[in-house]
Amino acid sequence: MISKKITSWSTNVRVSLPAVCFVWQIAMIVLFGVFIRYNEEADTHWQEFRRENNISSDIENDFYFRYPSFQDVHVMIFVGFGFLMTFLKRYSFGAVGFNFLVAAFGIQWALLMQGWFHTLDPATGKILIGVENLINADFCVAGCLIAYGALLGKVSPVQLLVLTLFGVTLFAVEEYIILDLLHARDAGGSMVIHAFGGYYGLAISWVLYRPNLNLSKRLNGSVYHSDVFAMIGTLFLWMFWPSFNSAITDHGDGQHRAAINTYLALASSVLTAVGISSVTQKKGKLDMVHIQNATLAGGVAMGTAAEFMITPYGSLIVGFCCGMISTFGYVFVTPLLEKYLKLQDTCGVHNLHAVPGMLGGFIGAIVAASATEEVYSREGLINTFDFEGDFADRTVGTQGGFQAAACCVAIAFGIVGGGCVGLVLKIPIWGDPADDNCYDDEAYWEVPEDDESIPPILEYNNHMIHKLPDL
Amino acid sequence: MISKKITSWSTNVRVSLPAVCFVWQIAMIVLFGVFIRYNEEADTHWQEFRRENNISSDIENDFYFRYPSFQDVHVMIFVGFGFLMTFLKRYSFGAVGFNFLVAAFGIQWALLMQGWFHTLDPATGKILIGVENLINADFCVAGCLIAYGALLGKVSPVQLLVLTLFGVTLFAVEEYIILDLLHARDAGGSMVIHAFGGYYGLAISWVLYRPNLNLSKRLNGSVYHSDVFAMIGTLFLWMFWPSFNSAITDHGDGQHRAAINTYLALASSVLTAVGISSVTQKKGKLDMVHIQNATLAGGVAMGTAAEFMITPYGSLIVGFCCGMISTFGYVFVTPLLEKYLKLQDTCGVHNLHAVPGMLGGFIGAIVAASATEEVYSREGLINTFDFEGDFADRTVGTQGGFQAAACCVAIAFGIVGGGCVGLVLKIPIWGDPADDNCYDDEAYWEVPEDDESIPPILEYNNHMIHKLPDL
Amino acid sequence: MISKKITSWSTNVRVSLPAVCFVWQIAMIVLFGVFIRYNEEADTHWQEFRRENNISSDIENDFYFRYPSFQDVHVMIFVGFGFLMTFLKRYSFGAVGFNFLVAAFGIQWALLMQGWFHTLDPATGKILIGVENLINADFCVAGCLIAYGALLGKVSPVQLLVLTLFGVTLFAVEEYIILDLLHARDAGGSMVIHAFGGYYGLAISWVLYRPNLNLSKRLNGSVYHSDVFAMIGTLFLWMFWPSFNSAITDHGDGQHRAAINTYLALASSVLTAVGISSVTQKKGKLDMVHIQNATLAGGVAMGTAAEFMITPYGSLIVGFCCGMISTFGYVFVTPLLEKYLKLQDTCGVHNLHAVPGMLGGFIGAIVAASATEEVYSREGLINTFDFEGDFADRTVGTQGGFQAAACCVAIAFGIVGGGCVGLVLKIPIWGDPADDNCYDDEAYWEVPEDDESIPPILEYNNHMIHKLPDL
């Protein structure tokens, strides 16, 4: 049904893939053994902790504030990102399967990396984890899955695991600089997740440029049902994005406001994505690529500002602009990037993550800089921007400046880190497919014969062969 | 693969669709700017509000009572309704895509309309929104999506947006009359959502009757995989219906009881839907249409009574009857409606929403009228039926009467409103498809060529051509 | 497209299926009427109950502790198990539809059976239900759905309902012995759900051995899109398993810790499943069967120990081993079981549920036996193992012994119960398919003609016929 010309030596990962899986998983076990323990809310000493801290009820365990959001984020990572990439006609196994593999490894490594940078207890040398760490690990992995979007169909699972190992490491460092050193706020990760992840993937894809990729052109497209599968991914991302942006914001109004803002921005970007999609096509027909992707741009762009007092109409404006910009990107920018910058971006992460993420970072900077005590109240300002400790004297203007600087840091980490990792992935030992063999699950999967469609043809064949002599 | 006879002039929405999307979205931004603000639980003044109202913990923010249910409702609206309608063999893009578009616009307009009628602060002229408003907006949109079910495949996206604009408006007025003026209870919306939405769609469909619709008959059916996609919609609706009916009920026992009752009614309607489906078919085979739809009737019918003390076995009885009635509707009533009433109802919303919704309204009236202080306790009666303020002296018998009246109001709004909106949609400017072009995504979507199945045929072709001379 | 040789007399369930559905559903209504009422947290007397028990806020209603987890479990039962079994090329309707039917009946019967054994109030003779009962009913049904996995494609819906009737009954007795008499802990049901359900299904399958099943071999496999559908099931099971294992554990740290442990074990089993899948295939290609199933083994195996202080790295080790063992099972053990033990196990529940469930039981025993006051604190030990009342003096060593005994009880109930139920199902009155008619939805479903793929062939045909004379 599909070309069988698979250069089998090149994509055989029978040694490298199991080796990486086992060695790295054993390393995780050892490192977890040394470093990771339950935090006081997940430990059997919780009842003592409650008494000592005058917590009146079990319901005030952070688990009940964040677990529903955590599960929504979890769905976004595994079903959302996984199914969003199933749109290719013959790469659905790779989309959903490698997404699964990469995320399952990445969350473990992220718990360690983020733990070392953010929550290592200097007294005991342990990282104490709870539900918030699980959410952050999912977030961290999201950056790598975004990068996968640019490379979809062109890399081996071993390359993806390497990409994740380095991606999570870069993420943790970048996040440490942005959140701890610059003290920027980025609850939904416009900067640390989307801008970083998008540029990271683009830089890798640029280094791995394949001049003869058009040999696989026949498989670089969708079929009817694969587009419907992709809509599962789109919708779960779209629906749960309010949970994504509110998952780790402040208890109470912080989570509440972040969810509302994201809900509104997303709704708005659907309408402008549809509008631009229709107006840029002959006969006004909609393009599934835009519906599957650009409708999400509002969620990406609200990642930083969702917890601020951006106001409901402010959220609508953000969604309005980013839905438009993202769709324009798919229509005009992606072809230009490929032609002039040699940038092959399978899922268009440039338009969905890199640019809206960058814009989200700067929107956050502007909203932060224009915060006033009148709108936030003094206490609200302190809570929202965490003006405490070393940062008690910071003004909103300064905060805005640091937010903008943070966005530049995220982009720089993405581009420079991606460039370096791309060079590593270029070494010809990772089992990546040949140029005429991309976007094809045959390379790494036992693909079932689709005998559903074959029998009638053969049947007809026999029938005809019998009939021919009559001529 | 599918007839390409598309009368392109008629379905070209390249001007109208973008125009509507942009103009309406800009209108939303302006109206949100004038009217919509965060409520005190989503605002940075929450900590002050907590102290003033002696709220002991952030966990008592309404967000934590309702957000998990909100997300479930959100999934029902976008994945549930969207995928339920993907069953047509060549209208899955339209089903899930237009559902997405309509809902994204509708929730914004609903926040405004419901705000003006229910939560406008007369002092400031502002609508203060929180998570409960988001749920109500989703509910409001559900009415329009139900109406879409009757029209699936026969209308343009522009018509759907117009349907939604008027539908949300009618909904808000009807809801105001039912909940505020009549002081009826309808937490899960048997009346305000399902009966209204069902009759609204049926009335529009009746006005838009297409005498030559059988020209599109070849596409008015499912294929194997499209039926499996539709089961995604069915199951997410079925599973999350307990959240739907309990999302805005009273904190504590109200939400708890509504979830239990709905869970039971749904379970019961699965068995009777399966039973009737089997007994009405030759050889006892099950029909996917019934499994996809009639299994949900129990949830629809519990929309009003779920928060009452209907008892667990009462819930089972409701599900039992409505699963039967709904399946009978699909088998016997829909064909008759089409034949004698000229009512073309693609998804059978008559059987799933209109009738079970109406029944649910009257069931609610009966259960309310038979409430006793012995069963509810005095306090429970007041809490459940909100016998406070102007309504402190209302008896349960009176309440039952008002509930029944409310149901009639919902139906009347649906039929009359739908008739008028149908006339508007009949104006030949909306780009709807010709009679021989319905149920076809080609009209409004760039549909990918399904080359998956084409290559082997061509291959065989070449092979054969080469072979033939040998004869 | 698919063989139409359906021995129609044998699979006609037009009498038996509706009869069972209606009679049993009516029986449920009667029994619910006699026995089932709302518990005090779902009843309108809740406000009085709150005052009497000094509960400070509605948020401390058990609903808010457990409802989000309940909904996740609900998704696992209906979408998770249902879609996991859609992998067969022509049995997706049966997979998702019969799963739906069986679960909808089973949860009602489970509420009664578990109620009689666990929560019957001796004073009033009533079973008082709340959200925890709904979760337990879902759990109970999971055992039967696991058994269905072994029988997929080989049994009629009536047989499945009989299997569920007896399965739920056996489950309730077994659970009573394990949790109440032996006082073992099994929050996520490694023993009571997975080991029992797995061996129950295997024993039934063994009794129902079909020597000529290879006549249906052509349908015992997947096609491309059916494998993608199955991934929906896999992922929702995988993502929500932390909710499954934590749904009924202790408030506070119990739920928190169980979620973390399960999350980690699952992540770990993905890597080892992928590793073994690759290394055991020629050319290192991955097999979707392994990815769909063995990745879940970590969740199964953590069912007992998730609430204990197994430590994060302990969880990783459990996932590591079980991911490996499960994949090895699919590669080597299932073929041997079929060849030598005459055990036909469609979904390989032996490898995913029976063995990892059994291992999970023994892992729980070991972890319990090695618990120390130093790690748990005295209070934590009492809370975690419920060392209260009659069991106040039990030591952790004794507890470990009882845990191990409980695991044997679960397996014994599964094997013996399954053997007996298998004999009942062997009576030739249930409408099961003939050996050449298994794995085929045509037997019990109105299957749509897939005209999508037919037209081009016929079209080509005509074209060619016209062309041939030219030769």
Side-chain angles (χ1 to χ4, degrees):
Chain A
M1 202 145 307
I2 276 170
S3 165
K4 310 277 174 178
K5 280 176 272 171
I6 293 168
T7 30
S8 58
W9 61 271
S10 76
T11 61
N12 191 329
V13 290
R14 194 179 174 188
V15 173
S16 55
L17 181 59
V20 169
C21 286
F22 277 90
V23 173
W24 291 11
Q25 186 59 54
I26 290 168
M28 289 300 117
I29 292 172
V30 173
L31 290 169
F32 269 60
V34 177
F35 289 103
I36 301 223
R37 298 292 179 270
Y38 308 116
N39 75 10
E40 56 285 332
E41 302 192 285
D43 188 284
T44 44
H45 293 78
W46 158 249
Q47 294 299 341
E48 290 166 39
F49 181 82
R50 256 186 67 186
R51 278 192 301 274
E52 284 161 18
N53 292 273
N54 277 319
I55 296 167
S56 65
S57 164
D58 279 334
I59 196 87
E60 293 182 57
N61 191 304
D62 197 37
F63 183 79
Y64 301 102
F65 285 93
R66 306 209 185 274
Y67 190 72
S69 307
F70 158 66
Q71 275 295 3
D72 294 348
V73 171
H74 219 39
V75 171
M76 292 173 73
I77 299 299
F78 289 88
V79 163
F81 283 109
F83 273 85
L84 185 62
M85 297 192 288
T86 57
F87 72 99
L88 288 176
K89 64 184 79 165
R90 278 280 146 172
Y91 210 71
S92 301
F93 291 5
V96 80
F98 295 154
N99 183 83
F100 192 16
L101 171 65
V102 159
F105 165 69
I107 53 180
Q108 299 177 56
W109 181 227
L111 283 170
L112 284 164
M113 283 301 303
Q114 295 185 312
W116 286 322
F117 277 96
H118 292 284
T119 54
L120 190 70
D121 181 345
T124 61
K126 301 295 180 204
I127 300 161
L128 303 182
I129 63 168
V131 65
E132 193 170 338
N133 302 71
L134 305 189
I135 297 171
N136 274 313
D138 274 15
F139 278 3
C140 183
V141 160
C144 298
L145 299 179
I146 290 165
Y148 179 25
L151 302 165
L152 184 71
K154 300 177 293 179
V155 288
S156 76
V158 183
Q159 282 178 309
L160 287 173
L161 285 165
V162 173
L163 172 155
T164 306
L165 181 78
F166 288 113
V168 167
T169 310
L170 287 163
F171 185 101
V173 177
E174 165 232 20
E175 190 188 36
Y176 176 71
I177 295 171
I178 289 174
L179 302 189
D180 290 30
L181 301 188
L182 300 180
H183 197 70
R185 304 288 295 175
D186 195 17
S190 285
M191 304 182 285
V192 296
I193 301 169
H194 297 286
F196 166 74
Y199 285 106
Y200 181 59
L202 291 172
I204 294 174
S205 185
W206 186 79
V207 175
L208 298 183
Y209 178 68
R210 288 169 176 270
N212 299 314
L213 190 58
N214 62 343
L215 291 174
S216 293
K217 201 181 156 191
R218 74 198 179 287
L219 293 176
N220 187 7
S222 63
V223 288
Y224 195 71
H225 281 162
S226 71
D227 267 330
V228 183
F229 277 119
M231 282 305 291
I232 297 174
T234 299
L235 288 176
F236 276 102
L237 287 171
W238 194 92
M239 296 180 303
F240 288 163
W241 217 295
S243 298
F244 193 92
N245 285 352
S246 69
I248 59 163
T249 52
D250 288 340
H251 289 178
D253 64 297
Q255 290 195 282
H256 205 149
R257 190 169 55 252
I260 295 171
N261 288 332
T262 310
Y263 172 96
L264 293 173
L266 286 161
S268 181
S269 57
V270 173
L271 271 91
T272 52
V274 167
I276 299 294
S277 181
S278 176
V279 85
T280 55
Q281 303 284 322
K282 272 177 295 179
K283 299 184 184 171
K285 293 187 184 186
L286 299 172
D287 187 326
M288 268 306 224
V289 171
H290 309 155
I291 308 305
Q292 284 159 7
N293 292 283
T295 52
L296 301 167
V300 174
M302 285 302 287
T304 304
E307 62 176 330
F308 302 159
M309 294 285 283
I310 189 171
T311 72
Y313 68 90
S315 304
L316 291 183
I317 293 171
V318 169
F320 186 94
C321 298
C322 290
M324 273 176 59
I325 292 166
S326 182
T327 318
F328 271 123
Y330 279 96
V331 178
F332 300 114
V333 182
T334 296
L336 294 180
L337 288 181
E338 178 150 6
K339 197 165 171 192
Y340 297 108
L341 273 191
K342 309 289 183 202
L343 199 48
Q344 291 155 335
D345 177 6
T346 315
C347 295
V349 304
H350 174 266
N351 314 304
L352 176 51
H353 297 283
V355 170
M358 181 186 65
L359 292 175
F362 292 121
I363 291 163
I366 294 165
V367 177
S370 55
T372 62
E373 213 171 297
E374 197 188 332
V375 170
Y376 284 73
S377 85
R378 180 73 206 139
E379 191 181 1
L381 214 51
I382 292 171
N383 289 340
T384 306
F385 296 101
D386 219 1
F387 287 155
E388 288 172 330
D390 292 349
F391 306 96
D393 299 329
R394 192 182 269 191
T395 65
V396 293
T398 319
Q399 180 68 25
F402 278 103
Q403 294 281 146
C407 192
C408 301
V409 169
I411 295 166
F413 259 80
I415 293 175
V416 176
C420 300
V421 172
L423 290 174
V424 173
L425 296 182
K426 212 163 179 169
I427 305 168
I429 56 170
W430 307 114
D432 46 325
D435 285 357
D436 63 346
N437 196 25
C438 289
Y439 313 122
D440 192 350
D441 275 333
E442 291 275 357
Y444 304 108
W445 297 88
E446 299 283 340
V447 178
E449 293 294 323
D450 272 10
D451 24 350
E452 255 191 322
S453 50
I454 292 168
I457 301 167
L458 296 178
E459 210 169 75
Y460 179 69
N461 181 357
N462 296 336
H463 175 66
M464 203 172 47
I465 296 291
H466 289 301
K467 223 176 139 183
L468 285 173
D470 295 1
L471 287 172
Chain B
M1 202 144 307
I2 277 170
S3 164
K4 309 278 176 179
K5 280 177 271 168
I6 293 165
T7 31
S8 58
W9 61 270
S10 76
T11 60
N12 191 327
V13 290
R14 195 179 173 187
V15 173
S16 55
L17 181 59
V20 169
C21 286
F22 276 90
V23 173
W24 292 10
Q25 186 58 54
I26 291 168
M28 289 301 117
I29 292 172
V30 173
L31 291 169
F32 269 61
V34 177
F35 289 104
I36 302 224
R37 297 293 179 272
Y38 308 115
N39 74 10
E40 56 285 331
E41 301 191 285
D43 189 283
T44 43
H45 293 78
W46 157 250
Q47 294 298 340
E48 289 165 39
F49 181 83
R50 256 186 68 184
R51 277 191 302 273
E52 284 161 18
N53 292 273
N54 277 320
I55 296 166
S56 66
S57 164
D58 280 334
I59 196 88
E60 293 182 57
N61 191 304
D62 198 37
F63 182 79
Y64 302 103
F65 285 93
R66 306 209 185 274
Y67 190 72
S69 306
F70 158 67
Q71 275 296 2
D72 294 349
V73 171
H74 219 40
V75 172
M76 293 174 72
I77 299 299
F78 290 88
V79 162
F81 283 109
F83 273 86
L84 185 61
M85 298 193 287
T86 56
F87 71 100
L88 288 175
K89 67 184 78 164
R90 276 281 147 171
Y91 209 72
S92 301
F93 290 6
V96 79
F98 295 155
N99 183 83
F100 191 16
L101 172 63
V102 159
F105 165 69
I107 53 180
Q108 299 177 56
W109 181 228
L111 283 170
L112 284 164
M113 282 301 303
Q114 294 185 312
W116 285 322
F117 277 97
H118 292 283
T119 53
L120 191 69
D121 181 345
T124 61
K126 301 296 180 204
I127 299 161
L128 303 182
I129 62 168
V131 66
E132 193 170 339
N133 301 72
L134 305 190
I135 298 171
N136 274 312
D138 274 15
F139 279 2
C140 184
V141 160
C144 298
L145 299 179
I146 290 165
Y148 179 26
L151 303 165
L152 184 70
K154 300 177 293 179
V155 289
S156 77
V158 183
Q159 282 178 308
L160 286 173
L161 285 165
V162 174
L163 173 155
T164 306
L165 181 77
F166 288 113
V168 167
T169 310
L170 288 163
F171 185 100
V173 177
E174 165 232 21
E175 189 189 37
Y176 176 71
I177 296 171
I178 289 174
L179 302 188
D180 290 29
L181 301 187
L182 301 180
H183 198 71
R185 303 287 296 176
D186 195 19
S190 285
M191 305 182 285
V192 298
I193 301 169
H194 296 286
F196 166 75
Y199 286 107
Y200 181 61
L202 291 172
I204 295 174
S205 186
W206 186 78
V207 175
L208 297 182
Y209 178 68
R210 289 168 175 270
N212 300 313
L213 190 58
N214 62 344
L215 292 173
S216 292
K217 202 180 154 192
R218 75 198 181 288
L219 292 177
N220 187 7
S222 64
V223 289
Y224 195 71
H225 281 162
S226 71
D227 267 330
V228 183
F229 277 118
M231 283 304 292
I232 297 174
T234 299
L235 288 175
F236 276 102
L237 287 170
W238 194 90
M239 295 180 303
F240 288 163
W241 218 295
S243 299
F244 193 91
N245 285 352
S246 69
I248 58 163
T249 52
D250 289 340
H251 289 177
D253 63 298
Q255 291 195 278
H256 205 149
R257 190 167 56 252
I260 295 171
N261 288 331
T262 310
Y263 173 95
L264 292 173
L266 286 162
S268 180
S269 58
V270 173
L271 272 91
T272 53
V274 167
I276 299 293
S277 182
S278 176
V279 85
T280 55
Q281 302 284 321
K282 272 176 298 179
K283 299 184 182 170
K285 293 186 184 186
L286 298 172
D287 188 326
M288 268 307 224
V289 172
H290 309 156
I291 307 304
Q292 283 159 6
N293 292 282
T295 51
L296 301 167
V300 174
M302 286 302 286
T304 304
E307 60 176 331
F308 303 159
M309 293 286 282
I310 189 171
T311 72
Y313 67 91
S315 304
L316 289 183
I317 293 171
V318 169
F320 186 94
C321 298
C322 290
M324 273 176 60
I325 292 167
S326 182
T327 318
F328 272 123
Y330 279 96
V331 178
F332 299 114
V333 182
T334 296
L336 295 179
L337 287 181
E338 177 149 6
K339 197 167 173 191
Y340 296 109
L341 273 190
K342 310 287 184 205
L343 199 49
Q344 291 156 334
D345 177 7
T346 316
C347 295
V349 303
H350 173 266
N351 314 304
L352 175 51
H353 297 283
V355 171
M358 182 186 65
L359 291 174
F362 292 120
I363 289 163
I366 294 166
V367 176
S370 55
T372 62
E373 213 170 298
E374 197 189 331
V375 170
Y376 284 74
S377 85
R378 180 75 205 137
E379 190 181 1
L381 215 50
I382 292 170
N383 288 340
T384 305
F385 296 101
D386 218 359
F387 288 155
E388 287 172 331
D390 293 347
F391 305 95
D393 299 328
R394 192 181 269 190
T395 65
V396 292
T398 320
Q399 180 69 25
F402 277 104
Q403 294 281 146
C407 193
C408 300
V409 169
I411 295 167
F413 258 82
I415 293 175
V416 177
C420 300
V421 173
L423 291 174
V424 172
L425 295 182
K426 213 166 178 165
I427 306 167
I429 56 170
W430 307 115
D432 46 324
D435 285 358
D436 64 345
N437 196 23
C438 288
Y439 312 122
D440 193 350
D441 275 333
E442 292 273 357
Y444 304 109
W445 296 88
E446 299 283 340
V447 178
E449 294 295 323
D450 271 9
D451 24 350
E452 252 191 325
S453 49
I454 292 168
I457 302 167
L458 296 177
E459 210 170 75
Y460 180 69
N461 182 356
N462 296 335
H463 175 66
M464 203 173 46
I465 296 292
H466 289 301
K467 222 177 140 185
L468 285 173
D470 295 359
L471 289 171
Chain C
M1 202 145 308
I2 277 171
S3 165
K4 307 279 174 176
K5 280 177 271 171
I6 292 167
T7 31
S8 58
W9 61 270
S10 77
T11 60
N12 191 329
V13 290
R14 195 181 173 186
V15 173
S16 55
L17 181 59
V20 168
C21 286
F22 277 90
V23 173
W24 291 11
Q25 186 58 54
I26 291 168
M28 289 300 116
I29 292 172
V30 173
L31 291 169
F32 268 61
V34 177
F35 289 105
I36 302 224
R37 298 292 178 272
Y38 308 114
N39 75 10
E40 56 286 329
E41 300 192 284
D43 188 283
T44 43
H45 294 78
W46 159 249
Q47 294 299 339
E48 291 166 38
F49 181 84
R50 255 186 68 184
R51 278 193 300 273
E52 284 161 18
N53 291 274
N54 277 320
I55 296 166
S56 66
S57 163
D58 280 335
I59 196 86
E60 293 182 57
N61 191 304
D62 198 36
F63 183 79
Y64 302 103
F65 285 92
R66 305 211 184 274
Y67 190 73
S69 306
F70 159 67
Q71 275 296 2
D72 293 348
V73 171
H74 219 40
V75 171
M76 292 173 74
I77 299 298
F78 290 88
V79 162
F81 283 109
F83 273 85
L84 185 62
M85 297 192 288
T86 57
F87 72 99
L88 288 175
K89 66 184 78 166
R90 277 281 146 170
Y91 210 72
S92 302
F93 290 7
V96 79
F98 295 154
N99 183 82
F100 193 14
L101 172 64
V102 158
F105 165 70
I107 53 180
Q108 299 178 55
W109 180 227
L111 283 170
L112 284 164
M113 282 302 305
Q114 295 185 312
W116 285 323
F117 276 98
H118 291 284
T119 54
L120 191 71
D121 180 345
T124 60
K126 301 295 181 206
I127 299 161
L128 303 181
I129 62 168
V131 66
E132 194 171 338
N133 301 71
L134 305 189
I135 297 170
N136 274 312
D138 274 15
F139 279 1
C140 184
V141 160
C144 298
L145 299 178
I146 290 165
Y148 180 25
L151 302 165
L152 185 71
K154 300 178 293 178
V155 288
S156 76
V158 183
Q159 283 178 307
L160 287 174
L161 285 165
V162 173
L163 173 155
T164 306
L165 182 78
F166 288 113
V168 167
T169 310
L170 287 162
F171 185 100
V173 177
E174 165 232 20
E175 190 188 37
Y176 176 71
I177 295 172
I178 290 174
L179 302 189
D180 290 29
L181 302 187
L182 301 180
H183 197 73
R185 305 287 296 174
D186 196 17
S190 284
M191 304 183 285
V192 296
I193 300 169
H194 296 286
F196 166 75
Y199 285 107
Y200 180 60
L202 291 172
I204 295 174
S205 186
W206 186 78
V207 175
L208 298 181
Y209 179 68
R210 290 167 175 272
N212 300 314
L213 190 58
N214 63 343
L215 293 174
S216 292
K217 200 179 155 192
R218 75 198 179 288
L219 293 177
N220 187 7
S222 63
V223 289
Y224 194 71
H225 281 162
S226 71
D227 267 330
V228 183
F229 276 119
M231 282 305 291
I232 297 174
T234 299
L235 288 175
F236 276 102
L237 287 170
W238 193 91
M239 295 180 303
F240 288 163
W241 217 295
S243 299
F244 194 91
N245 285 351
S246 70
I248 57 163
T249 52
D250 290 340
H251 289 176
D253 64 298
Q255 292 195 278
H256 205 148
R257 190 169 54 251
I260 295 171
N261 288 332
T262 310
Y263 172 97
L264 292 173
L266 286 161
S268 181
S269 57
V270 173
L271 272 91
T272 52
V274 167
I276 300 293
S277 182
S278 176
V279 85
T280 56
Q281 302 284 321
K282 272 176 298 180
K283 300 183 184 171
K285 292 187 184 186
L286 298 172
D287 188 327
M288 267 309 223
V289 172
H290 309 155
I291 308 305
Q292 284 159 7
N293 292 282
T295 51
L296 301 167
V300 174
M302 285 304 286
T304 304
E307 60 176 331
F308 303 158
M309 294 286 282
I310 190 171
T311 72
Y313 67 91
S315 305
L316 290 183
I317 293 171
V318 169
F320 185 94
C321 297
C322 290
M324 273 176 60
I325 291 167
S326 182
T327 317
F328 272 123
Y330 279 96
V331 177
F332 299 114
V333 182
T334 296
L336 294 179
L337 288 180
E338 177 148 6
K339 195 168 173 189
Y340 296 109
L341 273 190
K342 310 287 183 204
L343 199 50
Q344 291 156 335
D345 178 6
T346 314
C347 295
V349 304
H350 173 267
N351 313 305
L352 176 51
H353 297 283
V355 170
M358 182 186 64
L359 291 175
F362 293 121
I363 291 163
I366 295 166
V367 177
S370 54
T372 61
E373 213 170 296
E374 196 189 331
V375 170
Y376 284 73
S377 86
R378 180 75 205 137
E379 189 181 2
L381 214 52
I382 292 171
N383 288 340
T384 305
F385 295 101
D386 220 359
F387 288 154
E388 288 172 331
D390 293 348
F391 306 96
D393 299 329
R394 192 182 269 191
T395 64
V396 293
T398 319
Q399 179 68 25
F402 278 103
Q403 294 281 145
C407 193
C408 300
V409 169
I411 295 167
F413 258 81
I415 292 174
V416 177
C420 300
V421 173
L423 291 174
V424 173
L425 295 182
K426 214 168 178 162
I427 306 169
I429 56 170
W430 307 114
D432 45 324
D435 286 357
D436 64 345
N437 196 24
C438 288
Y439 313 122
D440 192 350
D441 274 333
E442 292 273 357
Y444 305 108
W445 297 86
E446 300 283 341
V447 178
E449 295 293 325
D450 272 9
D451 24 349
E452 253 190 325
S453 49
I454 293 169
I457 302 166
L458 296 178
E459 213 169 75
Y460 180 69
N461 181 358
N462 297 335
H463 176 65
M464 204 172 45
I465 296 292
H466 289 299
K467 222 177 142 186
L468 286 173
D470 294 359
L471 288 171

